[in-house]
């Protein structure tokens, strides 16, 4: 299937942690004019946890996140393929839905966890982490490095796994070549 530029498919993890720490609006700014989608597998995960974690209701109610059911032979076939490789004991179904929707529709998966990102690379699914999007927003002048550093530190407070510790975003981003050394 041909590429559908500008469609981002979000996994549960980034949405949950950004909402928990009060930064969900930052993701909306970073998405900009692109379409943001959450597949039904992610919606199911969010609904399952929303009773105990009220911040998940914020994600479910966000008007800028389009809920889409996996339908049609391409999406369902891709879901079955990714579930065979990644799902276990009812876990990782959200990631499987994100990868399936992205693969079948030529969209970009927004996933921060390592194993599904490796699968994305192995199966030619466009994939990006939230830190990459935040750095793009820095380059576009939408966010400052101080703001991104604050967001990253707050995400770490919610036990979100990032590749650095508190206060380490700027150094990590320099080392990854995501931002110039003068910033």
């Amino acid at each position: 299937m041909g590429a559908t530029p500008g469609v981002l498919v979000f996994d549960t993890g980034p949405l949950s942690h950004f909402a928990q720490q009060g930064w969900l609006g930052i993701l909306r700014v970073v998405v900009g004019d692109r379409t943001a989608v959450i597949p039904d597998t992610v919606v199911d995960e969010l609904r399952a946890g929303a009773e105990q974690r009220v911040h998940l209701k914020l994600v479910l109610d966000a008007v800028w996140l389009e809920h889409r059911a996996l339908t049609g032979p391409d999406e369902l076939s891709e879901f079955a393929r990714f579930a065979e490789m990644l799902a276990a004991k009812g876990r990782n179904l959200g990631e499987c839905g994100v990868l399936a929707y992205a693969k079948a529709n030529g969209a970009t998966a927004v996933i921060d966890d390592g194993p599904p990102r490796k699968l994305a690379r192995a199966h030619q699914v466009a994939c990006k982490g939230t830190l990459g999007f935040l750095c793009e927003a820095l380059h576009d002048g939408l966010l400052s490095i101080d703001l991104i550093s604050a967001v990253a530190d707050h995400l770490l407070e919610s036990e979100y796994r990032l590749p650095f510790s508190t206060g380490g975003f700027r150094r990590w981003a320099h080392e990854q070549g995501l931002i110039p050394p003068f910033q």
Side-chain angles (χ1 to χ4, degrees), residues 55-157:
H55 65 275
L56 297 181
K57 182 127 176 49
L58 296 173
V59 176
L60 289 166
D61 293 344
V63 296
W64 57 277
L65 290 167
E66 297 181 15
H67 299 192
R68 302 257 178 95
L70 295 174
T71 59
D74 290 345
E75 292 173 354
L76 296 174
S77 171
E78 293 296 343
F79 179 78
R81 185 165 69 121
F82 285 115
E84 189 171 299
M85 294 180 278
L86 191 61
K89 300 179 182 178
R91 297 184 59 167
N92 300 326
L93 294 176
E95 289 92 340
C96 295
V98 169
L99 292 172
Y101 189 91
K103 177 72 176 178
N105 295 289
T108 299
V110 182
I111 295 178
D112 285 337
D113 293 334
R117 289 173 59 96
K118 286 180 185 171
L119 269 181
R121 282 191 291 275
H123 295 274
Q124 292 79 47
V125 177
C127 184
K128 192 160 221 165
T130 51
L131 292 175
F133 279 113
L134 293 175
C135 288
E136 278 183 12
L138 175 70
H139 292 287
D140 293 343
L142 297 172
L143 304 175
S144 71
I145 188 125
D146 291 334
L147 178 59
I148 296 172
S149 294
V151 170
D153 287 349
H154 288 167
L155 292 173
L156 288 166
E157 289 173 5

